[in-house]
Amino acid sequence: MGTRERERECRLCAVTFFAKLHPGDVCGSNGLPLTPNSIAILGRAQKLKELQDEHLCQYLDVIRGKHERTIVVSEYLGLSLEDYAMRHPPLAIAQILRIFYQVACGINVLSRHHLVAHNVEPKHILLSSDGQRVKLFNYGLHHMTKGGAYVPFPIGNIRYMAPERLLGLNGNVKSDVWSLALVMVELILQIELWPKLKLSNVVRKILAFGKSNGALEKIAREHQCHERYVQMDQRLRQLLESCLSVLPKRRPLPGELLEHPIFEEVLLDLKKQKMQPLSPETEHLPLLLRCPLSQIYHLWQLAGGDVQAELKKEGLIRSEAPILGLPQIVRLSGASVCPGRSQAQLMDDRVVPLRLKALLQRLSGLPAAVYFPLLHSPRFPAHFARELQELPLVIREKDIEYQFQRVRLFARLLQGYPHTAEQLQREAAVDVPPLLRGPIWAALLEVVPNGSYAKIDKFTSTSTDRQIEVDIPRCHQYDELLSSPDGHRKLRRLLKAWVTAHPQYVYWQGLDSLTAPFLYLNFNNEELAFLSLFKFIPKYLQWFFLKDNSAVIKEYLSKFSQLTAFHEPLLAQHLASISFIPELFAIPWFLTMFSHVFPLHKILHLWDKLMLGDSSYPLFIGIAILRQLRSTLLTSGFNECILLFSDLPDIVMDGCVLESQKMYEATPKSITHRQHALRLQPPQALDIGVADVELKHLQQEQCPRISAKDVQFLLDNSPAELALIDLRSVVEFGRVHVPHSINIPFATVQLGEQRLEALQVPQLEAQLRGKIVVCVSNIHQHSVEFSHFLVACGVQRTCILHKGFNVLHSIEPNILISN
Amino acid sequence: MATTPRSGGASGTGTAQRPNGTSQNKSCQFKLVLLGESAVGKSSLVLRFVKGQFHEYQESTIGAAFLTQTICIEDTVVKFEIWDTAGQERYHSLAPMYYRGAQAAIVVYDIQNQDSFQRAKTWVKELHKQASPNIVIALAGNKADLSNIRVVEFDEAKQYAEENGLLFMETSAKTGMNVNDIFLAIAKKLPKNDGANNQGTSIRPTGTETNRPTNNCCK
C-alpha cells in the first residue's frame, strides 16, 4: 500500500542544472548583449510542453533561477528501470520485451517530431509500480540545450553512447536505438556494463567496436556471459545485433523496430490490456488525478507549491557566500579571472518529487459536480463559488478552489466551441482564468483554426524586414519567453505572415507590441497566435495600418477628444486650453491598444475586458487613464502634462478597467460613431449614416453627436436618464416639442458668462446632473455653440442631436406633443 | 458672445512657454527635436542626457516622447524641452508637428548603418526647407563605441556637416561619450537673449553673423 500510495501521490517531479555562462562584456553583431543561455533554453523547452504520449513523461514547466540555474518540472511515473530491476531480479524475457517495445514507441514519437533523446539510460526509463506501463523521462534535455551547446556538460551517459556520438555527431535518432539496445542487453545478460572501468576506458571500448562487427558478442564475452548470449532467442539476438551495428545506417529506425515480429506477443498483451474495463487502480484514483497534468500542476502552484523551495529542501539548491564568487584577477581589458564553478554544481541528476498531498487535501471537499460541469442543463446551474466573484480579480486569480472551478468550466466550454460561444462570452465577462487565457481570447475573437497560417510565406525577404529586425529585440524584452531566440523567431514569423497576408497594409512600429500578448499566450501554437492577431486588428484597429493612415488616426483622436468632453468636460476644457492635443500623447495608446505603454501582465487584464467590447471600447480605456491622472492634469501646464505621459506613472489597472466598463455601458452607441470603424450591421433609419459626419465636423464640434434612434431608445426605456435641451424659440417649442424637454431659446441666452446660473433656468444644474444631455435645435450651429457652453460649465455627458429637431418628426410612433 | 469652436486637432503643437525666471542669471527655454532612422539610438541619447541611464533594450518610440533637462552654461540657465520622435518612415508625417517652431534639432545616424546616414541627410534637407530658418542643427553619429565595425567614416560625416553648417559629433549613448557635449554645443550656439524664445521663433541678435553658408541647395 505504501508503494501504491506513493505512486498515486508522486506524479510530478523537478530536476535542475546550470546553463553555460557567457564570457563577460561580449555582445552580438547588433551591439546588444548576448541572450543568457538559460533564456534560450526556456524558449526551446516550450515545444516539449506540447508533447503528450502514453510513452513519454509530459513536460510541464521550465523555471529560471539565479546565475543561470534552470529547473525542469515534468511528469514522473512509478520508479526508474534502474530501481525496478534491482527489486525484481532477474527480469523475465517477456517483461524485457514489453519494456523494449514501449521505450521504442517513445523514441518513435520523438522521431516523428524531429527530436532525439540522446540520453537513454536506465534512470530515464520509468515503470509503473506493477511494471506494466513504461515511459521515457528527461528526453528533452538535448533539444532544450540545443544539443548541449547551452550547458557546460555533455548530454547522455557515456556508457550507453553510440560510437558516432562519441565522435561528436548529434541529432541521429539511431543513436538512441543503440542506447536502448544496450540497456536491454544489460537486462537480458543480467550485467552492468563495464562497472569498474574509468570513463576514458569505456570510451575506448565503445570506439573499438568500430574495428570489427559483433559488438553484442564482444560485450557478452567481456562480462563472462557468453553462455546466456548463445542461449538467447535467435531472433532477439539478431535484432540486438542490428541495433548495435557500428554504422548507423545499418541500424533499424524506431518505426522499423516496432514492426519486428519478436514484439507480436507484446502487442497482443498491450491490446488486451487496453480493452479491459477500468483497472481497480484507476477506479480508486482521486478525481483530481484524472485531470490533465497541466491543470494539476497549475493548481499545485496555487495551493502554495514552490518548486525552488522543494529543491532547496532536498539540498539541490545551496547558496554560496558571494565573496567566493569575486574575481581573482581584474584586467583593465579582457575578461576577469573568476574561480571556476564547483563541478558538483554543474549537473546533479537527482530527481525531486513534488508531492501532491497538500493539493489533494485542499480540494478533497469539492463535490464531483465541479469536475464535470453540466453545460446544457439549466436546471443544474453552476452556482458553486458564485459568491467568490465579488472578490477583487487579483484575489480570485490566486484562490485555488475558485480557479479550479473556473478552469474546469472553461475547459468544457472550449471543448464545445464554437457551439458554446455565447456561454463562453458570458463567463468571460465574469473573469478569465489565466491558465486558459490564450484559447479563450481566440474564442472571443471567433477564431477557428483552418490551416491558413501554414500556407503563408514567412521567409521571402521584403522591404519591411529591416524594421522588424530592429523592433523585435526591443519588444517587451523583460519577458523571458519573448526575449529568447525562439521567441524572436516566432515573433518574426508572425509579423511577416501578417504583413504578407495583408498587402493593402504596411508594417507600422507598434504592430510588434500588438502581437506580443498573443505570442506570449500561444507560444506553442503559432497558428492560434496568428489568427487571434488576424481577427483582433480589424475589430479594434480597422484601417490603422494603411500606408497613409492619417485620416483614420485624426478621426479616431477627434472622437477621443469628443468622448473626453462627454465624460470629463472640465478636464477636456483644460487640455484644450493648453493645446494638449491627443496627437501628442495618445497615438502609442491606440495604435498598439496600450500594449506598448503597459507591461504584459497589465495588458492581459486590460484585454480580458477589451475582447468583450466593440471597436469603441479602447476609447473609454483612454478616458479612464485620463481620469486616474485627473487631479494632476488639471493643475499642470503643457510641459508637466507631456512629461507625465512620457513617463507614465503606475496606472491602477483594476480601476482603469472598472471605469472604462462603466463608461462603455453608459454611453449610447451612436456617440462613438466613426466613419472608419468596423461595422457589424448596416446603419438603419435614424442612425448616423456612414458618411454623415466628416472629419472637419468632428474637429469643429467639441461634443459628440447622438442619433435619433438612441434618443428614442432612451425616451422609451429610461427617460429619467435623458435631459433634452430644446434651443428653438418659445413659439416653436409651443407648437411641438418632446415631453419633459427643457426649452432654452438660443436667441435669448448670453453664453459669455460660463455659469449655468447665468441662463436663469431654475434648478437647471440639478436637472442635468447624471443624465445624458442632448442639445436639440433646427440650426446645427446653435447646438454646437450651446454644447460648448455646457462643457465649459462642467456639464457631463453633453451631446448634440444629429440632424436636428426635424429628425424627431420621423420617429414612429410619434413622440412629440403640443401645448 | 459665443464660445469659439475648438481649433483643428492637426495644427501645430502650440507649445506653451513658461515665463523666464526672475533670478539674477538669465534663463532660456529651447525646444529641441531628435530625428533619425529607427534604432539608431535617439531615445538612448536623450535618456543618457536627461537621466544618465542607458537601457540595452530601450523600447521603440511610437509617436513621440517628451523630456526636459536644464543645464547651466556660463551664467545662463538653459532648459531644453526635447521631443524624441519615432524613427520609422511611416511616422514621417507626424514630424512637422514636433519640429515646427523648434530652435534646435539633433539628427542622429548609426555609424554602423549607411542607410541611416542617408536618412539623416534627408532630414537635414527637410529641416532646411521647412523648419525655422534659424534652427540649430547638430549631426550625431551614434554607437561610436562600436567603431571597430563602423561603416560611416568620420571624415565623410564631418565634411557633410561642414558643408551644411551643422554641428557634428560622434556619440555613444552607451558609454556617454560626447552626449553632454553635443547638447552643450547646441546651447552655446543658440541665441540666449531674454524673451527671444517667447516669440516661438528665435530673433537673431543684431550683428550676429549667419552661421550657415548662403548656398545650401541640394542640386
Side-chain angles (χ1 to χ4, degrees), chain A residues 32 466-467 473-474 507-509 581 588 591 596 639-640 642 646-647 785, chain B residues 2 5-6 9 18 38 51 56-58 60 62 66 81 88 90-91 113:
Chain A
L32 294 171
R466 191 260 162 187
Q467 188 67 56
R474 302 188 288 171
Y507 175 79
W508 280 77
Q509 269 180 311
I581 55 177
L591 193 73
H596 187 266
N639 283 7
E640 292 84 3
I642 196 63
S646 285
D647 208 2
E785 292 179 22
Chain B
R6 184 170 57 88
R18 307 178 99 202
S38 222
K51 298 187 180 179
E56 299 283 6
Y57 300 105
Q58 177 66 33
S60 55
I62 293 178
F66 182 87
E81 294 162 352
Q88 195 190 4
R90 305 287 176 218
Y91 291 92
N113 184 335

mmCIF file of all heavy atoms in Angstrom, chain A residues 32 466-467 473-474 507-509 581 588 591 596 639-640 642 646-647 785, chain B residues 2 5-6 9 18 38 51 56-58 60 62 66 81 88 90-91 113:
data_model
loop_
_atom_site.group_PDB
_atom_site.id
_atom_site.type_symbol
_atom_site.label_atom_id
_atom_site.label_comp_id
_atom_site.label_asym_id
_atom_site.label_seq_id
_atom_site.Cartn_x
_atom_site.Cartn_y
_atom_site.Cartn_z
ATOM 1 N N LEU A 32 23.846 44.437 -29.159
ATOM 2 C CA LEU A 32 23.061 44.102 -27.968
ATOM 3 C C LEU A 32 23.740 42.976 -27.204
ATOM 4 O O LEU A 32 24.471 42.179 -27.792
ATOM 5 C CB LEU A 32 21.644 43.683 -28.377
ATOM 6 C CG LEU A 32 20.802 44.791 -28.990
ATOM 7 C CD1 LEU A 32 19.514 44.228 -29.569
ATOM 8 C CD2 LEU A 32 20.488 45.868 -27.966
ATOM 9 N N ARG A 466 14.003 44.855 -42.394
ATOM 10 C CA ARG A 466 14.955 45.589 -41.579
ATOM 11 C C ARG A 466 14.277 46.220 -40.371
ATOM 12 O O ARG A 466 14.799 46.167 -39.246
ATOM 13 C CB ARG A 466 15.628 46.666 -42.433
ATOM 14 C CG ARG A 466 16.822 47.321 -41.752
ATOM 15 C CD ARG A 466 16.486 48.662 -41.132
ATOM 16 N NE ARG A 466 17.489 49.061 -40.152
ATOM 17 C CZ ARG A 466 17.364 50.122 -39.366
ATOM 18 N NH1 ARG A 466 16.283 50.881 -39.440
ATOM 19 N NH2 ARG A 466 18.298 50.429 -38.495
ATOM 20 N N GLN A 467 13.095 46.785 -40.593
ATOM 21 C CA GLN A 467 12.394 47.427 -39.481
ATOM 22 C C GLN A 467 11.959 46.395 -38.444
ATOM 23 O O GLN A 467 12.107 46.604 -37.240
ATOM 24 C CB GLN A 467 11.168 48.179 -40.007
ATOM 25 C CG GLN A 467 10.482 49.026 -38.947
ATOM 26 C CD GLN A 467 11.327 50.192 -38.495
ATOM 27 O OE1 GLN A 467 11.746 51.006 -39.301
ATOM 28 N NE2 GLN A 467 11.589 50.263 -37.201
ATOM 29 N N PRO A 473 14.053 42.958 -31.019
ATOM 30 C CA PRO A 473 14.827 42.936 -29.764
ATOM 31 C C PRO A 473 14.495 44.081 -28.824
ATOM 32 O O PRO A 473 15.170 44.246 -27.807
ATOM 33 C CB PRO A 473 16.289 43.039 -30.238
ATOM 34 C CG PRO A 473 16.273 43.031 -31.704
ATOM 35 C CD PRO A 473 14.898 43.334 -32.156
ATOM 36 N N ARG A 474 13.472 44.882 -29.167
ATOM 37 C CA ARG A 474 13.085 45.959 -28.259
ATOM 38 C C ARG A 474 11.647 45.785 -27.790
ATOM 39 O O ARG A 474 11.072 46.703 -27.208
ATOM 40 C CB ARG A 474 13.225 47.312 -28.978
ATOM 41 C CG ARG A 474 14.629 47.560 -29.496
ATOM 42 C CD ARG A 474 14.793 48.968 -30.021
ATOM 43 N NE ARG A 474 14.104 49.191 -31.289
ATOM 44 C CZ ARG A 474 13.967 50.387 -31.850
ATOM 45 N NH1 ARG A 474 14.454 51.461 -31.253
ATOM 46 N NH2 ARG A 474 13.334 50.522 -32.992
ATOM 47 N N TYR A 507 3.710 47.492 -42.452
ATOM 48 C CA TYR A 507 4.172 47.336 -41.070
ATOM 49 C C TYR A 507 4.391 48.705 -40.454
ATOM 50 O O TYR A 507 5.176 49.500 -40.953
ATOM 51 C CB TYR A 507 5.485 46.547 -41.046
ATOM 52 C CG TYR A 507 6.082 46.443 -39.655
ATOM 53 C CD1 TYR A 507 5.584 45.533 -38.737
ATOM 54 C CD2 TYR A 507 7.123 47.277 -39.260
ATOM 55 C CE1 TYR A 507 6.112 45.447 -37.461
ATOM 56 C CE2 TYR A 507 7.654 47.198 -37.983
ATOM 57 C CZ TYR A 507 7.145 46.286 -37.088
ATOM 58 O OH TYR A 507 7.658 46.207 -35.829
ATOM 59 N N TRP A 508 3.666 48.988 -39.393
ATOM 60 C CA TRP A 508 3.930 50.168 -38.581
ATOM 61 C C TRP A 508 4.549 49.694 -37.280
ATOM 62 O O TRP A 508 4.085 48.711 -36.697
ATOM 63 C CB TRP A 508 2.627 50.901 -38.250
ATOM 64 C CG TRP A 508 2.096 51.771 -39.330
ATOM 65 C CD1 TRP A 508 1.430 51.379 -40.451
ATOM 66 C CD2 TRP A 508 2.155 53.199 -39.378
ATOM 67 N NE1 TRP A 508 1.074 52.475 -41.193
ATOM 68 C CE2 TRP A 508 1.502 53.598 -40.567
ATOM 69 C CE3 TRP A 508 2.699 54.164 -38.537
ATOM 70 C CZ2 TRP A 508 1.380 54.939 -40.935
ATOM 71 C CZ3 TRP A 508 2.573 55.491 -38.898
ATOM 72 C CH2 TRP A 508 1.925 55.871 -40.087
ATOM 73 N N GLN A 509 5.563 50.411 -36.812
ATOM 74 C CA GLN A 509 6.076 50.134 -35.478
ATOM 75 C C GLN A 509 4.908 50.175 -34.511
ATOM 76 O O GLN A 509 4.103 51.098 -34.544
ATOM 77 C CB GLN A 509 7.084 51.205 -35.063
ATOM 78 C CG GLN A 509 8.495 50.895 -35.421
ATOM 79 C CD GLN A 509 9.429 51.998 -34.974
ATOM 80 O OE1 GLN A 509 9.186 53.165 -35.226
ATOM 81 N NE2 GLN A 509 10.494 51.620 -34.315
ATOM 82 N N ILE A 581 -3.125 68.361 -27.257
ATOM 83 C CA ILE A 581 -3.976 67.562 -28.130
ATOM 84 C C ILE A 581 -3.576 66.090 -28.068
ATOM 85 O O ILE A 581 -2.413 65.771 -27.818
ATOM 86 C CB ILE A 581 -3.880 68.074 -29.579
ATOM 87 C CG1 ILE A 581 -2.423 68.095 -30.034
ATOM 88 C CG2 ILE A 581 -4.505 69.458 -29.691
ATOM 89 C CD1 ILE A 581 -2.242 68.509 -31.471
ATOM 90 N N PRO A 588 0.587 56.292 -29.262
ATOM 91 C CA PRO A 588 1.065 54.978 -28.811
ATOM 92 C C PRO A 588 -0.003 54.177 -28.077
ATOM 93 O O PRO A 588 0.036 52.956 -28.064
ATOM 94 C CB PRO A 588 2.224 55.309 -27.868
ATOM 95 C CG PRO A 588 2.553 56.719 -28.092
ATOM 96 C CD PRO A 588 1.367 57.389 -28.679
ATOM 97 N N LEU A 591 -2.679 53.029 -31.209
ATOM 98 C CA LEU A 591 -2.095 52.256 -32.305
ATOM 99 C C LEU A 591 -1.694 50.862 -31.838
ATOM 100 O O LEU A 591 -1.627 49.929 -32.625
ATOM 101 C CB LEU A 591 -0.873 52.990 -32.866
ATOM 102 C CG LEU A 591 -0.364 52.455 -34.195
ATOM 103 C CD1 LEU A 591 -1.313 52.846 -35.318
ATOM 104 C CD2 LEU A 591 1.024 52.976 -34.497
ATOM 105 N N HIS A 596 1.956 48.860 -25.981
ATOM 106 C CA HIS A 596 3.291 49.433 -25.997
ATOM 107 C C HIS A 596 3.585 50.210 -24.725
ATOM 108 O O HIS A 596 4.738 50.401 -24.363
ATOM 109 C CB HIS A 596 3.443 50.355 -27.209
ATOM 110 C CG HIS A 596 4.838 50.868 -27.413
ATOM 111 N ND1 HIS A 596 5.261 52.072 -26.910
ATOM 112 C CD2 HIS A 596 5.906 50.342 -28.047
ATOM 113 C CE1 HIS A 596 6.529 52.261 -27.244
ATOM 114 N NE2 HIS A 596 6.946 51.238 -27.923
ATOM 115 N N ASN A 639 3.945 71.499 -20.373
ATOM 116 C CA ASN A 639 5.163 70.704 -20.190
ATOM 117 C C ASN A 639 4.987 69.621 -19.150
ATOM 118 O O ASN A 639 5.431 68.486 -19.329
ATOM 119 C CB ASN A 639 6.334 71.611 -19.798
ATOM 120 C CG ASN A 639 6.887 72.370 -20.983
ATOM 121 O OD1 ASN A 639 6.313 72.319 -22.073
ATOM 122 N ND2 ASN A 639 7.970 73.073 -20.777
ATOM 123 N N GLU A 640 4.320 69.973 -18.044
ATOM 124 C CA GLU A 640 4.116 68.971 -16.999
ATOM 125 C C GLU A 640 3.232 67.837 -17.510
ATOM 126 O O GLU A 640 3.456 66.674 -17.189
ATOM 127 C CB GLU A 640 3.484 69.619 -15.761
ATOM 128 C CG GLU A 640 4.400 70.590 -15.027
ATOM 129 C CD GLU A 640 4.390 71.983 -15.641
ATOM 130 O OE1 GLU A 640 3.619 72.215 -16.602
ATOM 131 O OE2 GLU A 640 5.149 72.835 -15.169
ATOM 132 N N ILE A 642 2.890 66.739 -20.653
ATOM 133 C CA ILE A 642 3.556 65.864 -21.613
ATOM 134 C C ILE A 642 4.622 65.028 -20.920
ATOM 135 O O ILE A 642 4.849 63.867 -21.257
ATOM 136 C CB ILE A 642 4.138 66.682 -22.798
ATOM 137 C CG1 ILE A 642 4.461 65.759 -23.968
ATOM 138 C CG2 ILE A 642 5.358 67.468 -22.394
ATOM 139 C CD1 ILE A 642 3.259 65.071 -24.553
ATOM 140 N N SER A 646 4.958 60.956 -20.943
ATOM 141 C CA SER A 646 6.167 60.314 -21.456
ATOM 142 C C SER A 646 6.737 59.349 -20.439
ATOM 143 O O SER A 646 7.423 58.404 -20.775
ATOM 144 C CB SER A 646 7.212 61.380 -21.809
ATOM 145 O OG SER A 646 6.852 62.011 -23.008
ATOM 146 N N ASP A 647 6.457 59.614 -19.177
ATOM 147 C CA ASP A 647 6.945 58.735 -18.114
ATOM 148 C C ASP A 647 5.737 58.281 -17.316
ATOM 149 O O ASP A 647 5.609 58.562 -16.141
ATOM 150 C CB ASP A 647 7.914 59.528 -17.235
ATOM 151 C CG ASP A 647 8.941 58.631 -16.585
ATOM 152 O OD1 ASP A 647 8.912 57.409 -16.847
ATOM 153 O OD2 ASP A 647 9.758 59.145 -15.819
ATOM 154 N N GLU A 785 -22.708 75.587 -30.423
ATOM 155 C CA GLU A 785 -22.252 76.640 -29.524
ATOM 156 C C GLU A 785 -22.768 76.414 -28.114
ATOM 157 O O GLU A 785 -22.050 76.614 -27.139
ATOM 158 C CB GLU A 785 -22.691 78.008 -30.055
ATOM 159 C CG GLU A 785 -21.972 78.381 -31.341
ATOM 160 C CD GLU A 785 -22.411 79.728 -31.897
ATOM 161 O OE1 GLU A 785 -22.930 80.552 -31.112
ATOM 162 O OE2 GLU A 785 -22.231 79.943 -33.110
ATOM 163 N N ALA B 2 -20.426 84.130 -28.262
ATOM 164 C CA ALA B 2 -20.398 82.664 -28.366
ATOM 165 C C ALA B 2 -19.000 82.133 -28.071
ATOM 166 O O ALA B 2 -18.003 82.797 -28.335
ATOM 167 C CB ALA B 2 -20.833 82.233 -29.763
ATOM 168 N N PRO B 5 -15.250 77.800 -31.516
ATOM 169 C CA PRO B 5 -15.061 76.355 -31.703
ATOM 170 C C PRO B 5 -13.621 75.973 -31.411
ATOM 171 O O PRO B 5 -12.702 76.773 -31.567
ATOM 172 C CB PRO B 5 -15.399 76.138 -33.172
ATOM 173 C CG PRO B 5 -16.128 77.356 -33.601
ATOM 174 C CD PRO B 5 -15.654 78.474 -32.738
ATOM 175 N N ARG B 6 -13.446 74.713 -31.027
ATOM 176 C CA ARG B 6 -12.109 74.188 -30.763
ATOM 177 C C ARG B 6 -11.327 74.189 -32.067
ATOM 178 O O ARG B 6 -11.841 73.848 -33.119
ATOM 179 C CB ARG B 6 -12.234 72.767 -30.209
ATOM 180 C CG ARG B 6 -10.940 72.131 -29.798
ATOM 181 C CD ARG B 6 -11.233 70.844 -29.050
ATOM 182 N NE ARG B 6 -12.034 69.935 -29.861
ATOM 183 C CZ ARG B 6 -11.512 69.062 -30.710
ATOM 184 N NH1 ARG B 6 -10.209 68.985 -30.859
ATOM 185 N NH2 ARG B 6 -12.292 68.278 -31.417
ATOM 186 N N GLY B 9 -7.484 69.791 -34.697
ATOM 187 C CA GLY B 9 -6.534 68.991 -33.940
ATOM 188 C C GLY B 9 -5.207 68.797 -34.624
ATOM 189 O O GLY B 9 -4.211 68.531 -33.974
ATOM 190 N N ARG B 18 6.755 78.892 -20.552
ATOM 191 C CA ARG B 18 6.623 79.484 -19.237
ATOM 192 C C ARG B 18 7.457 80.757 -19.175
ATOM 193 O O ARG B 18 8.449 80.889 -19.876
ATOM 194 C CB ARG B 18 7.091 78.498 -18.175
ATOM 195 C CG ARG B 18 6.397 77.157 -18.291
ATOM 196 C CD ARG B 18 6.925 76.208 -17.256
ATOM 197 N NE ARG B 18 6.047 76.135 -16.106
ATOM 198 C CZ ARG B 18 6.453 75.732 -14.903
ATOM 199 N NH1 ARG B 18 7.703 75.407 -14.719
ATOM 200 N NH2 ARG B 18 5.614 75.665 -13.906
ATOM 201 N N SER B 38 15.132 54.615 -37.520
ATOM 202 C CA SER B 38 14.771 53.755 -36.401
ATOM 203 C C SER B 38 15.988 53.048 -35.839
ATOM 204 O O SER B 38 16.857 52.598 -36.582
ATOM 205 C CB SER B 38 13.807 52.698 -36.932
ATOM 206 O OG SER B 38 12.778 52.495 -36.043
ATOM 207 N N LYS B 51 18.637 61.523 -17.896
ATOM 208 C CA LYS B 51 18.608 60.704 -16.679
ATOM 209 C C LYS B 51 19.916 59.981 -16.403
ATOM 210 O O LYS B 51 20.028 59.279 -15.403
ATOM 211 C CB LYS B 51 17.484 59.667 -16.772
ATOM 212 C CG LYS B 51 16.115 60.295 -16.886
ATOM 213 C CD LYS B 51 15.020 59.253 -16.803
ATOM 214 C CE LYS B 51 13.653 59.909 -16.908
ATOM 215 N NZ LYS B 51 12.551 58.932 -16.848
ATOM 216 N N GLU B 56 19.897 48.624 -22.494
ATOM 217 C CA GLU B 56 20.268 47.833 -23.668
ATOM 218 C C GLU B 56 19.072 47.600 -24.581
ATOM 219 O O GLU B 56 19.185 47.612 -25.792
ATOM 220 C CB GLU B 56 20.829 46.480 -23.232
ATOM 221 C CG GLU B 56 22.082 46.551 -22.386
ATOM 222 C CD GLU B 56 23.330 46.851 -23.198
ATOM 223 O OE1 GLU B 56 23.216 47.127 -24.409
ATOM 224 O OE2 GLU B 56 24.425 46.820 -22.623
ATOM 225 N N TYR B 57 17.927 47.342 -23.963
ATOM 226 C CA TYR B 57 16.741 47.011 -24.761
ATOM 227 C C TYR B 57 15.732 48.144 -24.718
ATOM 228 O O TYR B 57 14.548 47.928 -24.510
ATOM 229 C CB TYR B 57 16.111 45.717 -24.246
ATOM 230 C CG TYR B 57 17.042 44.550 -24.319
ATOM 231 C CD1 TYR B 57 17.644 44.043 -23.174
ATOM 232 C CD2 TYR B 57 17.358 43.970 -25.544
ATOM 233 C CE1 TYR B 57 18.521 42.979 -23.241
ATOM 234 C CE2 TYR B 57 18.231 42.905 -25.611
ATOM 235 C CZ TYR B 57 18.810 42.419 -24.463
ATOM 236 O OH TYR B 57 19.679 41.376 -24.520
ATOM 237 N N GLN B 58 16.222 49.381 -24.916
ATOM 238 C CA GLN B 58 15.333 50.535 -24.946
ATOM 239 C C GLN B 58 14.187 50.286 -25.921
ATOM 240 O O GLN B 58 14.401 49.926 -27.068
ATOM 241 C CB GLN B 58 16.125 51.770 -25.385
ATOM 242 C CG GLN B 58 15.315 53.032 -25.542
ATOM 243 C CD GLN B 58 14.750 53.535 -24.230
ATOM 244 O OE1 GLN B 58 15.375 53.383 -23.188
ATOM 245 N NE2 GLN B 58 13.577 54.124 -24.278
ATOM 246 N N SER B 60 11.141 50.761 -28.542
ATOM 247 C CA SER B 60 10.980 51.659 -29.677
ATOM 248 C C SER B 60 10.024 52.786 -29.307
ATOM 249 O O SER B 60 9.183 52.653 -28.424
ATOM 250 C CB SER B 60 10.441 50.879 -30.876
ATOM 251 O OG SER B 60 9.251 50.215 -30.527
ATOM 252 N N ILE B 62 6.968 55.223 -30.277
ATOM 253 C CA ILE B 62 5.807 55.318 -31.164
ATOM 254 C C ILE B 62 5.201 56.691 -30.964
ATOM 255 O O ILE B 62 4.896 57.081 -29.844
ATOM 256 C CB ILE B 62 4.797 54.205 -30.854
ATOM 257 C CG1 ILE B 62 5.409 52.856 -31.221
ATOM 258 C CG2 ILE B 62 3.497 54.419 -31.616
ATOM 259 C CD1 ILE B 62 4.548 51.676 -30.921
ATOM 260 N N PHE B 66 8.477 63.038 -24.704
ATOM 261 C CA PHE B 66 8.891 64.397 -24.331
ATOM 262 C C PHE B 66 9.673 64.336 -23.038
ATOM 263 O O PHE B 66 9.233 63.707 -22.075
ATOM 264 C CB PHE B 66 7.644 65.272 -24.156
ATOM 265 C CG PHE B 66 7.943 66.704 -23.815
ATOM 266 C CD1 PHE B 66 8.167 67.641 -24.807
ATOM 267 C CD2 PHE B 66 7.986 67.123 -22.491
ATOM 268 C CE1 PHE B 66 8.424 68.973 -24.496
ATOM 269 C CE2 PHE B 66 8.240 68.455 -22.167
ATOM 270 C CZ PHE B 66 8.458 69.381 -23.177
ATOM 271 N N GLU B 81 13.615 71.560 -23.912
ATOM 272 C CA GLU B 81 12.371 70.784 -23.983
ATOM 273 C C GLU B 81 12.509 69.896 -25.217
ATOM 274 O O GLU B 81 12.504 70.388 -26.342
ATOM 275 C CB GLU B 81 11.172 71.717 -24.097
ATOM 276 C CG GLU B 81 10.989 72.546 -22.838
ATOM 277 C CD GLU B 81 10.121 73.770 -23.035
ATOM 278 O OE1 GLU B 81 9.762 74.076 -24.190
ATOM 279 O OE2 GLU B 81 9.811 74.424 -22.033
ATOM 280 N N GLN B 88 10.601 55.353 -37.586
ATOM 281 C CA GLN B 88 10.131 54.647 -38.776
ATOM 282 C C GLN B 88 9.574 55.640 -39.790
ATOM 283 O O GLN B 88 8.885 56.600 -39.426
ATOM 284 C CB GLN B 88 9.049 53.622 -38.409
ATOM 285 C CG GLN B 88 8.791 52.629 -39.525
ATOM 286 C CD GLN B 88 7.574 51.757 -39.292
ATOM 287 O OE1 GLN B 88 6.854 51.920 -38.319
ATOM 288 N NE2 GLN B 88 7.322 50.844 -40.210
ATOM 289 N N ARG B 90 7.159 55.494 -41.628
ATOM 290 C CA ARG B 90 5.699 55.641 -41.576
ATOM 291 C C ARG B 90 5.275 56.862 -40.776
ATOM 292 O O ARG B 90 4.276 57.493 -41.073
ATOM 293 C CB ARG B 90 5.078 54.408 -40.912
ATOM 294 C CG ARG B 90 5.445 53.102 -41.531
ATOM 295 C CD ARG B 90 4.764 52.894 -42.849
ATOM 296 N NE ARG B 90 5.217 51.652 -43.448
ATOM 297 C CZ ARG B 90 5.424 51.487 -44.737
ATOM 298 N NH1 ARG B 90 5.222 52.475 -45.578
ATOM 299 N NH2 ARG B 90 5.826 50.332 -45.198
ATOM 300 N N TYR B 91 6.039 57.171 -39.735
ATOM 301 C CA TYR B 91 5.659 58.260 -38.840
ATOM 302 C C TYR B 91 6.132 59.614 -39.340
ATOM 303 O O TYR B 91 6.001 60.617 -38.645
ATOM 304 C CB TYR B 91 6.220 58.002 -37.435
ATOM 305 C CG TYR B 91 5.551 56.844 -36.732
ATOM 306 C CD1 TYR B 91 6.074 55.562 -36.834
ATOM 307 C CD2 TYR B 91 4.407 57.040 -35.979
ATOM 308 C CE1 TYR B 91 5.465 54.495 -36.197
ATOM 309 C CE2 TYR B 91 3.798 55.975 -35.339
ATOM 310 C CZ TYR B 91 4.329 54.710 -35.459
ATOM 311 O OH TYR B 91 3.724 53.653 -34.836
ATOM 312 N N ASN B 113 25.608 51.933 -39.943
ATOM 313 C CA ASN B 113 24.481 51.774 -40.857
ATOM 314 C C ASN B 113 24.485 52.910 -41.876
ATOM 315 O O ASN B 113 24.097 54.033 -41.558
ATOM 316 C CB ASN B 113 23.187 51.760 -40.044
ATOM 317 C CG ASN B 113 21.963 51.514 -40.897
ATOM 318 O OD1 ASN B 113 21.955 51.797 -42.089
ATOM 319 N ND2 ASN B 113 20.922 51.001 -40.282
#
